[in-house]
Amino acid sequence: MPLLSSIASASVRGFSGYGLSSGATFISATGGTITTSGNYKIHTFTSSGTFTVSSAPSGKFLDFLVVGGGGGAASQVGGGAGGVVYKTSQSPSNGSYSVTIGSGGAFGTVNGTSGGNSSFFGFTALGGGAGNSYGVGFSGGSGGAGSSGGSALQPTSASGGFGNAGGTGGGGGAGGAGGASAGGDPYTDPITGDPYAGGGPLSTDGSYLGPGSSTGEGGGYEDDTGTGYAGSGGRVIIRYLYQ
């Protein structure tokens, strides 16, 4: 082989090693509401949909949060928060992935209804347990409140994750157990820094106006006005490096 040809071939091989090849180097995907933060792209789903990956290079990963729908309150007791699943360094492939968002459970005078499950990438965040005015709170991602609190099913589920038992007035939260009146603490999302999936309280000071929107919170009960609230719907948040 002529010397010049050998040098040219070596040069092309060398430059391709420095990222000049035509192969994709970052994940590319669509679905949900898309925002950016630094070098990350974030997809947020507050209703069911599809996350579609068009480029999935080797060694590139997803982080994601899945939050179940919150349980509904009953008279004098709050509902439990939806369970929370947080996963890092998950390897996607090209293709479409279903995203299911659980709805919040309804308020009921005697029993609320439990929240719906949310799921993504094979992981499920369980809906929160409903409040029960005259018996044990319902079990769920986090347990609803009742004569004694319902159990948290999320931590021992196949997907693992976060959830806590309900109390005698407040539902369990993904960050802590419910109490005699206070709902359990929420879980702080590592992706956005926002608090999600707090337990529904039993409020006696007129200050409680219902759970936040689409955050997996359990519904609470405002004793001063005799008003009970539904739980709020779940959420899925997906993050990956895009540059």
Side-chain angles (χ1 to χ4, degrees):
M1 179 181 294
L3 179 60
L4 183 59
S5 299
S6 299
I7 293 173
S9 298
S11 298
V12 170
R13 288 195 299 271
F15 280 121
S16 67
Y18 284 91
L20 296 184
S21 64
S22 60
T25 57
F26 292 100
I27 292 171
S28 181
T30 58
T33 299
I34 302 173
T35 56
T36 58
S37 177
N39 292 326
Y40 287 96
K41 190 167 284 187
I42 298 170
H43 296 242
T44 301
F45 290 82
T46 56
S47 60
S48 298
T50 304
F51 179 72
T52 302
V53 179
S54 57
S55 174
S58 176
K60 302 298 182 182
F61 305 105
L62 305 175
D63 301 334
F64 55 82
L65 183 84
V66 185
V67 183
S75 296
Q76 306 293 320
V77 291
V84 171
V85 176
Y86 176 58
K87 296 294 180 181
T88 62
S89 301
Q90 302 293 307
S91 299
S93 299
N94 286 5
S96 296
Y97 297 88
S98 295
V99 177
T100 300
I101 303 297
S103 60
F107 166 74
T109 303
V110 177
N111 297 326
T113 59
S114 295
N117 297 346
S118 297
S119 61
F120 173 66
F121 212 71
F123 296 93
T124 298
L126 302 172
N132 184 354
S133 295
Y134 299 108
V136 178
F138 289 88
S139 298
S142 286
S147 55
S148 59
S151 299
L153 303 179
Q154 190 67 55
T156 56
S157 72
S159 296
F162 304 93
N164 290 277
T168 53
S181 60
D185 289 339
Y187 175 87
T188 300
D189 174 17
I191 296 175
T192 66
D194 294 325
Y196 294 139
L202 168 60
S203 176
T204 59
D205 62 4
S207 64
Y208 180 70
L209 301 176
S213 174
S214 298
T215 57
E217 295 177 36
Y221 187 83
E222 180 50 69
D223 194 48
D224 285 8
T225 61
T227 305
Y229 292 88
S232 61
R235 180 172 294 203
V236 169
I237 300 173
I238 307 160
R239 175 179 69 176
Y240 54 86
L241 286 168
Y242 80 103
Q243 65 178 14

